[in-house]
Every structure is written in C-alpha cells, then in structure tokens.
C-alpha cells in the first residue's frame, strides 16, 4: 500500500522529466524499481533479494559493481556480485557526502568509522569521533587499513574514480564489502540527490527514502516551474568560482552546476559549452566574458577586502563594484568542514532555492539562503 | 667481517619480526603468533597479520634489498657517490606510466579498470625508458655521457608528468600524489608472486658481475686494459639495475633515498670497496633499513608516507657514518 502511494508521487516526475534513453537492463529477471533522475545506479527487486547495480560512469553501459542485498544470508544469489546482509548495522565511510542521506533516513548512528575528520561538517559525526564512538580512519586516499579491519564494519561505502587505485584494491582485499557510491558523477542535482535511495536500500529503508526524495524532488520541480513560468525577461547573469594561480575553472554546459544555473533561470556564458566537466579559462578571459556579470558566486574569499588583496583585477568585475559577491561558506566549521559539500548533495531543493533567492528574490520572499552567503566588507 | 654479516642477519630477522608485531593497530605477541599457528581464533586478526602485515614486510625486505643493490651498481658504474637507482630515469619512466594512467584519463583505457592497471602502467613506463637507455648506452663510449643522457630522460619524463598534473582535477591529482609517496602496503601476495622472481633475477645478475664491478672502479681505460669488455659489463649492469628499480617502483611506488645511501652505509660499516662484500652487505642493510622505516611509518595514529620516513631518519644516520669515516 505504502509503495503504491509513493509510486503515485513519482509518476508526475516520470512525465515531467524522465530520462530520454532506455535504461540498461543487465539483469534478466526482476522488477526494476524506477530511478527517475539518477543515471548511475539501478535497484531491481528479485525473488528473495534486491539487487543494486552501480554503473561505470566512464564506460558506457558497463556495470561498475553489483550488490545482492539479502535479509537472510542463506538466500542464494548470483555469483557475479557481492552479497550484502541488510540492514547494515555498522558502516565505515570514505566520504562525508553520505551523512545527510543517512541522517534523513535515521541511520546516521550506524556510521562507526570515517575519514578526514577535520573536513566534516555534520556535528553528530564530529561529536562521535570526539567521544571515541566513531573511529578516525585517516586520509580518504590512504585509509589506515588495519584500523578499518579491526572495526569490523558490515560494509565500507566509498567513492570511485576513473582509475583503480591501490587503496581501493586493498579495501576490496580486506574482505569487507565495498559499496561504491559514485553520486558525484551525476550531472543533475536531483540525480545526485536520488542516491539517498541507493543508500537506503542497504538499510531496508527504501520507503522512507522514497518519501524523503519525493519531497525534495517535488519542491525542486515546483520551484523550477515557478522560475520558468515567471516571465522574467532578461535573465541575470552569473560568474562562478575564482581563479587559482592563473587558472579559472568554470563549469561546462553539460555539468551539474550549469544545469543548476539553467534551472534557476540564470544566464551563464558557458551554458552551451560541451562537456560535463569544467572549462579552464584565465582571469583575462573571465574579465572579457564575465566582467559585467550581475552576481558572482563561489568565491573563496570571506570579505571584499580579502578578495581585493588576492588579486586587484577582481576589483574590475561588476559584481565586486556592486557588492554582489557570494561564497558557499554559510555553514562551515572552524577546521574546514562545509555543509555545501555534505548536506547540499541531498538537499537539491535548498541548493536551487539559494540560487533563486539570489537571482530572483521576488519569487522567494520568505526564504533565507542555506549555503550561500554574501562576502562581508572587511 | 663474518661477524658483521651474522649480526646483520640477526638484525634482519629482528626487524622483520618487529614489522609484523607492530602496526597501526596494537596486537599482542600472542595474537600475532596465534595468527600463524592456530586454525581458529580471530579471523580479522589473522587477516591483518597474514594478508596485510606479512606481505608488507616481505615487500620492505625485498624492496630494500633490490634498491640498495641497484644503487650500488649505479654508484660503481658511474664512479659517483651520489648516483642512485633513479639516475637513469627508470623510476621517472615508471612514474610517467602511472601519471598517464591516473591523470591522463583515456590515454591508457585498457589498463584503467584492471586491478593490475597501475603496476602494469609503471612497468611499461620503466621498460620503455630502460630500453631507451640501453640502446643509447650501446652508442655512447663514455660512461659520464650516459649518465647525462639518463638524467635528461628523467627530466623529460618529469616535464610530461608536470603537464599532466597541471591539467588534472583535484581528486585524480591526489590519487597520483598518494602513489608518489610510495606504499609498501599496496604489495599483496599476488604482486609478490610477480615481484619475487623479477628481483631474484636482477640480484643474481648483479652478483654475477662482482668481479667486473671491482675492476670498473679503476676506470674505463684500466678496465679495458685488464681485458674487461666495458660495453658488455655496462649493459648488464644497466639491465640489472633497471630491472630492480623498475620492478620495485612498479609495485610499491617510487621509494627514494634507500638506493643512494645504503651502499655508503655498507662501505662505512665494512670499510671495503670489494663488491664481493659490498653487494651482500648493501642488500642486507637495505632490507633492514626499509623494514625499520616501514615500522616507524606505521607507528603514528595514521601511517606516514614511506618516502618521508626513509629520508627523515636515513639522512642523519648517513651523515653520522660519513663523518665518522673522516
């Protein structure tokens, strides 16, 4: 019954913006639980077990990993994947981007090992490490394998890159199921957020995740429709990021951020630039193409004074002069944790709302930005 | 002399044992011993000791031995106390191979997702560079010229690596940099099965040259006057050294410092220039030192890169030994 209600919620989204091409269906039998936005994974219900397939983002159509989720280990599963007993009780993580998803399904307490503690924002995890309840496993690129093994987690959730590195190999050899979560490769904000369902599958909490995600998707879509239907005339333009030692990286047209900008009704110079990654440019080119942009977001400075000190050329940009420069540092910790990299992964609706508030404040009069804040004067 | 060898061997056994007993997680002697002997008992501890610490200790033992021998060969060939196994650019070649794989996405697609990808890319890079150096060595009469050519090869490889680094994204860059720190723990049993025979061949080749190595110390012309075919000996020395350095770098990453300094420590301890003594001495000392460095790198709460430890502790020790010799 609950599943039917949830599916009803998702049907409008099938129609509104489902994926164009057919989904790869590697598994022969089974009922694919539709992933509406995410391209990187599939959940397929079989007789007695649930299979989760993570697709290889760098090799079209290939599976990166397969998992067979069983409540009872005696259930027979195909040999081409890792059998994982669910629900997980003890999880080790190699990235902070999973914390918010876990929190939303009420399973944050299952995290018993984490990496790069100083860069974590989620206060419960920081407290857990301080109190000794959560093990500090070191640097995410070079985990202390012995500590991980002694922790005896039910699984370790980690990200993956376009090349197999030694660290990941050691993880796989340690005998602990390695759950690859490649949400960062998704190019749509809702696609990235939908990985909450992937995570929830391992806790047997798919219905909770479905309802959380349905809410996020619904709020995102309705705001996007509102922006599209608002009849805004000339769209305000945006300048993203900041240069570093001569190189200014900006999102390419097919990237995650470029899509976010389009959904927020913002004009962006590189919106037609091919590619899912970044465009490398220089400060001179930026001045040429973005010198008269309306709003500058994603600066690394905290004050206008600091920005000017970094490079006096920044003072030539219109957003600097009109005092419309913003960074993503509204929710940070003193040691370097930033919720923009954690919570915003799931809260795609808040991310969109932040941008809409900046560029079309009249559409969200009562909303206060969550992750974005303006630079201070000094 | 014999006594010193016996002491070194005892030291080696102790160092090996210590490297297995101590690690990031403290295990009691009983627990470690139990991993070897009893069938039951904690499976995780057995995993840690047998599948993590044991192969790592072997990697340190073999790697230290191989790099020291390679370093000694280079120092004798070029009659240069600062020469090391990386002087002919073999380690740069291996690093370039891994850089192309990790940073230059799509350049080596076949290797990208293979579990042996990084090692194969490194071996490929090292082999290509070694071939280049060997070919050049046939045409170059003066050994010093060869040294310069080798170094230039290294610089060339290094510049391509820099370009790749400058255009890569932060995640893959960190992956690559982590590789350059060197990692003995990335050598598992599977890798040891390949590494062992390669190093055995290299060390055998080196030991077979001990007579010629002594003669080379007298200079190329004197060696030729004594009937030694300098070209042939040079060729074999380069092949052996490249094989040793290339193989270790392919599996454990570039491990600096050991190759250059262990021969000096051997000379200091044994006070001889005879390669019949220096070869095995460097081998043993190299093993001991790398085992100790590995042990030290695992002691802090989170392991430090092996390259940092080798120089951190090795440099002062070397200075002490050299000053004592004066």
């Amino acid at each position: 019954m609950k599943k039917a209600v949830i599916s009803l919620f998702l049907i409008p989204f099938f129609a509104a913006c489902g994926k164009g091409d057919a989904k790869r269906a590697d598994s022969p039998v089974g009922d694919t639980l539709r992933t509406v936005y995410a391209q990187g994974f599939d959940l397929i219900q079989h007789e007695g077990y649930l299979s989760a397939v993570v697709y290889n983002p760098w090799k079209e159509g290939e599976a990166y990993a397969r998992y067979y989720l069983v409540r009872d280990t005696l259930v027979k599963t195909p040999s081409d994947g890792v059998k994982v007993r669910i629900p997980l009780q003890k999880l080790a993580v190699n990235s902070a981007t999973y914390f918010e998803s876990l929190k939303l399904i009420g399973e944050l307490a299952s995290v018993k090992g984490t990496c790069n503690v100083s860069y974590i924002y989620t206060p419960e995890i920081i407290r857990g490490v301080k109190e000794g309840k959560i093990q500090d496993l070191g640097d995410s690129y070079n985990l202390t394998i012995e500590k991980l093994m002694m922790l005896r987690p039910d699984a370790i959730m980690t990200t993956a890159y376009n090349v197999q590195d030694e660290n990941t190999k050691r993880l796989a050899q340690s005998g602990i199921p390695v759950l690859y979560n490649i949400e960062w490769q998704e190019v749509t904000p809702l696609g990235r957020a939908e990985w909450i369902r992937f995570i929830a599958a391992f806790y047997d909490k798919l219905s909770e995740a479905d309802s959380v995600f349905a809410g996020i998707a619904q709020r995102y879509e309705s705001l996007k429709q509102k922006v599209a239907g608002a009849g805004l005339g000339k769209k305000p333009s945006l300048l993203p990021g900041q240069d570093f030692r001569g190189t200014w990286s900006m999102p390419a047209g097919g990237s995650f951020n470029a899509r976010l900008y389009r959904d927020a009704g913002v004009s962006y110079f590189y919106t037609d630039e091919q590619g899912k990654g970044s465009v490398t440019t220089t400060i001179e080119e930026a001045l040429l193409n973005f010198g008269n942009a309306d709003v500058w977001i994603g600066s690394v400075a905290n004050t206008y004074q600091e920005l000017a000190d970094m490079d006096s050329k920044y003072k030539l940009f219109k957003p600097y002069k009109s005092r419309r420069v913003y960074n993503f540092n509204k929710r940070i910790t003193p040691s370097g944790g930033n919720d923009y990299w954690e919570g915003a992964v799931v809260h795609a609706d808040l991310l969109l709302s932040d941008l809409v508030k900046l560029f079309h404040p009249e559409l969200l009069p009562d909303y206060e930005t969550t992750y974005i804040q303006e630079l201070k004067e000094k | 002399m014999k006594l010193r060898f016996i002491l070194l061997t005892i030291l080696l056994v102790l160092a090996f044992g210590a490297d297995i007993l101590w690690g990031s997680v403290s295990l009691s002697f009983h627990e470690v011993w139990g991993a070897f002997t009893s069938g039951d008992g904690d499976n995780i501890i057995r995993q840690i000791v047998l599948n993590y610490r044991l192969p790592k200790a072997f990697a340190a033992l073999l790697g230290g031995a191989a790099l020291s021998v390679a370093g000694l060969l280079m120092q004798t060939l070029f009659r240069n106390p600062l020469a090391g196994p990386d002087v002919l650019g073999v380690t740069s070649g291996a690093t370039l191979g891994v850089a192309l794989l990790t940073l230059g996405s799509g350049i080596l697609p076949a290797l990208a997702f293979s579990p042996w990808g990084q090692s194969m890319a490194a071996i490929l890079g090292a082999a290509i560079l070694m071939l280049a150096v060997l070919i050049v060595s046939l045409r170059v009469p003066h050994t010093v010229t060869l040294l310069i050519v080798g170094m230039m090869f290294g610089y060339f490889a290094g510049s391509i690596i820099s370009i790749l680094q400058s255009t890569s994204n932060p995640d893959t860059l960190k992956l690559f940099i982590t590789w350059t720190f060197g990692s003995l723990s990335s050598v598992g049993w599977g890798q040891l099965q390949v590494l062992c025979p390669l190093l055995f061949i290299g060390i055998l080749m080196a030991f077979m040259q001990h007579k010629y190595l002594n003669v080379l110390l007298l200079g190329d012309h004197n060696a030729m006057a004594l009937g030694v075919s300098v070209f042939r000996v040079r060729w074999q020395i380069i092949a052996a050294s490249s094989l040793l350095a290339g193989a270790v770098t392919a599996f454990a990453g570039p491990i600096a410092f050991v190759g250059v300094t262990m021969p000096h420590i051997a000379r200091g301890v044994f006070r001889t220039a005879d390669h019949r003594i220096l070869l095995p001495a460097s081998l043993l000392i190299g093993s001991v030192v790398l085992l100790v460095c590995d042990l030290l790198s695992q002691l802090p709460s989170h392991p430090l890169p092996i390259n940092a430890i080798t120089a951190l502790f090795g440099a002062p020790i070397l200075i002490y030994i050299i000053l004592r010799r004066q």
Side-chain angles (χ1 to χ4, degrees):
Chain A
M1 182 60 216
K2 216 173 180 183
K3 268 216 173 81
V5 174
I6 301 301
S7 322
L8 226 68
F9 252 128
L10 294 177
I11 285 173
F13 308 123
F14 282 25
C17 50
K19 305 179 297 291
D21 23 28
K23 214 25 167 154
R24 305 135 237 161
D26 281 303
S27 292
V29 181
D31 186 29
T32 308
L33 310 172
R34 288 295 293 257
T35 43
V36 187
Y37 300 94
Q39 304 266 7
F41 75 94
D42 256 332
L43 297 170
I44 303 151
Q45 185 67 58
H46 297 261
E47 194 71 42
Y49 62 91
L50 180 70
S51 87
V53 186
V54 177
Y55 294 107
N56 190 336
W58 304 281
K59 255 184 172 180
E60 187 67 44
E62 223 189 65
Y64 194 87
R66 279 178 207 279
Y67 305 101
Y68 295 110
L69 285 62
V70 295
R71 286 185 205 93
D72 172 9
T73 40
L74 293 173
V75 173
K76 274 185 154 286
T77 57
S79 53
D80 64 347
V82 179
K83 187 192 262 187
V84 182
R85 178 140 180 266
I86 62 165
L88 299 176
Q89 307 286 354
K90 226 194 224 184
L91 183 70
V93 298
N94 204 5
S95 166
T97 52
Y98 319 131
F99 294 144
E100 191 64 19
S101 297
L102 287 166
K103 197 166 168 183
L104 288 171
I105 58 170
E107 292 286 350
L108 192 57
S110 68
V111 175
K112 292 288 188 267
T114 183
C115 300
N116 296 112
V117 179
S118 49
Y119 291 113
I120 293 178
Y121 174 86
T122 307
E124 292 88 339
I125 301 291
I126 299 177
R127 206 181 13 239
V129 175
K130 218 179 278 198
E131 290 171 4
K133 298 204 182 90
I134 300 179
Q135 178 75 263
D136 180 2
L137 297 172
D139 181 49
S140 55
Y141 290 93
N142 203 3
L143 282 180
T144 314
I145 302 278
E146 287 190 10
K147 284 204 171 140
L148 173 68
M149 289 170 73
M150 283 304 276
L151 191 62
R152 294 156 222 260
D154 297 324
I156 172 161
M157 188 170 285
T158 177
T159 185
Y161 303 103
N162 61 323
V163 69
Q164 262 245 19
D165 65 300
E166 300 298 329
N167 196 41
T168 328
K169 258 202 332 237
R170 284 327 245 147
L171 288 181
Q173 285 170 349
S174 66
I176 300 168
V178 180
L179 309 178
Y180 293 104
N181 183 328
I182 324 185
E183 98 262 286
W184 64 281
Q185 275 284 323
E186 295 287 348
V187 290
T188 60
L190 285 176
R192 206 175 271 196
E194 196 168 7
W195 281 77
I196 186 178
R197 298 175 66 238
F198 175 80
I199 295 175
F202 289 92
Y203 289 91
D204 206 9
K205 282 197 166 173
L206 256 181
S207 45
E208 281 91 335
D210 284 348
S211 64
V212 168
F213 180 68
I216 292 172
Q218 189 265 328
R219 287 189 291 275
Y220 188 102
E221 290 292 351
S222 72
L223 182 57
K224 182 177 160 187
Q225 306 289 12
K226 197 170 176 188
V227 168
L232 298 159
K234 184 170 183 291
K235 295 199 196 126
S237 58
L238 165 157
L239 165 64
Q242 195 170 323
D243 90 325
F244 183 70
R245 296 177 71 85
T247 307
W248 198 318
S249 285
M250 300 199 190
S255 71
F256 172 92
N257 277 314
R259 274 168 222 259
L260 196 61
Y261 305 155
R262 284 196 286 274
D263 288 348
V266 177
S267 155
Y268 173 54
F269 183 81
Y270 286 122
T271 198
D272 295 318
E273 193 75 22
Q274 296 280 6
K276 303 194 300 177
S278 32
V279 178
T280 15
T281 171
T282 59
I283 192 170
E284 286 82 21
E285 275 178 292
L287 207 47
L288 198 65
N289 301 321
F290 294 88
N292 284 318
D294 296 306
V295 182
W296 183 348
I297 63 168
S299 166
V300 300
N302 286 304
T303 67
Y304 286 104
Q305 185 63 49
E306 197 183 330
L307 191 60
D309 288 340
M310 284 174 173
D311 193 328
S312 54
K313 292 198 270 295
Y314 294 143
K315 295 198 281 193
L316 301 168
F317 288 85
K318 177 175 153 202
Y320 179 91
K321 296 183 217 167
S322 60
R323 289 302 190 257
R324 293 222 68 197
V325 185
Y326 299 83
N327 60 29
F328 295 118
N329 299 340
K330 191 159 185 187
R331 289 162 69 91
I332 57 173
T333 66
S335 62
N338 190 336
D339 206 23
Y340 175 69
W341 303 110
E342 285 180 36
V345 172
V346 175
H347 295 291
D349 54 333
L350 295 179
L351 205 54
L352 183 65
S353 303
D354 273 12
L355 283 179
V356 173
K357 179 74 185 182
L358 243 50
F359 290 91
H360 310 289
E362 68 280 2
L363 294 177
L364 290 172
D366 303 314
Y367 178 77
E368 249 200 65
T369 59
T370 313
Y371 307 105
I372 294 184
Q373 72 176 1
E374 195 194 331
L375 262 52
K376 302 187 184 37
E377 244 340 291
K378 288 211 178 299
Chain B
M1 204 61 77
K2 237 194 201 130
L3 179 65
R4 278 178 242 205
F5 270 113
I6 293 175
L7 283 174
L8 259 182
T9 317
I10 294 175
L11 205 61
L12 179 64
V13 173
L14 286 175
F16 191 84
D19 198 27
I20 298 182
L21 278 174
W22 278 284
S24 322
V25 164
S26 29
L27 299 174
S28 73
F29 178 81
H30 199 71
E31 288 172 309
V32 175
W33 186 249
F36 284 103
T37 51
S38 58
D40 45 282
D42 201 335
N43 190 39
I44 287 283
I45 293 187
R46 195 169 334 123
Q47 274 286 316
I48 291 180
V49 173
L50 296 179
N51 283 337
Y52 185 71
R53 288 193 189 174
L54 196 55
K56 183 166 63 73
F58 274 119
L61 191 151
L62 293 169
L67 290 171
S68 316
V69 169
L72 178 62
L73 289 174
M74 290 290 97
Q75 283 173 6
T76 301
L77 178 64
F78 295 115
R79 286 178 293 280
N80 186 325
L82 292 175
D86 49 349
V87 95
L88 286 178
V90 171
T91 33
S92 307
T95 309
L96 178 60
V98 174
L100 283 171
L101 180 70
T102 315
L103 302 172
S105 52
I107 292 184
L108 296 170
L111 293 177
F113 297 104
S114 139
W116 286 78
Q118 269 192 339
S119 311
M120 295 227 50
I123 289 177
L124 211 64
I128 290 176
L129 220 36
M130 175 171 111
L131 272 167
V133 169
L134 283 172
I135 291 172
V136 167
S137 80
L138 289 173
R139 299 164 158 279
V140 163
H142 296 294
T143 315
V144 170
T145 321
L146 185 61
L147 177 62
I148 296 175
V149 170
M151 291 186 74
M152 290 306 117
F153 277 143
Y155 280 126
F156 186 74
S159 70
I160 299 180
I161 295 170
S162 290
I163 293 173
L164 287 168
Q165 282 180 314
S166 71
T167 56
S168 71
N169 67 62
D171 295 306
T172 46
L173 190 61
K174 179 92 197 255
L175 272 179
F176 174 70
I177 296 213
T178 310
W179 183 84
T180 63
F181 288 155
S183 166
L184 292 169
S185 57
S186 59
V187 182
W189 288 115
Q191 281 88 342
L192 277 174
Q193 282 182 331
V194 179
L195 189 60
C196 265
L198 287 175
L199 295 185
F200 184 70
I201 294 172
I203 291 178
L204 204 65
M205 282 172 75
F207 272 65
M208 288 197 315
Q209 302 292 314
H210 72 83
K211 257 193 304 211
Y212 306 116
L213 286 166
N214 285 339
V215 173
L216 271 185
L217 283 177
L218 302 170
D220 281 358
H221 293 291
N222 290 327
M224 280 194 275
L226 285 167
V228 172
S229 163
V230 172
F231 263 96
R232 192 171 57 88
V233 171
R234 209 164 66 175
W235 213 91
Q236 289 180 318
I237 290 176
I238 293 172
S241 165
S242 306
L243 178 61
L244 290 169
V248 175
T249 309
F251 291 104
I255 297 184
F257 192 77
V258 172
V260 180
T261 45
M262 297 308 115
H264 290 292
I265 297 182
R267 285 189 201 98
V269 167
F270 285 81
R271 298 186 184 283
T272 176
D274 183 1
H275 286 78
R276 239 177 346 156
I277 309 230
L278 280 185
L279 277 168
S282 306
L283 190 151
L284 284 173
I285 292 175
S287 293
V288 170
V289 168
L290 201 54
L291 276 166
V292 172
C293 286
D294 182 53
L295 173 66
L296 292 172
S297 76
Q298 303 282 321
L299 288 182
S301 149
H302 300 294
L304 294 174
I306 188 79
N307 275 338
I309 304 292
T310 49
L312 201 63
F313 289 92
I317 293 175
L318 182 65
I319 292 174
Y320 168 73
I321 290 184
I322 286 189
L323 289 179
R324 204 174 60 119
R325 273 173 77 185
Q326 300 300 31

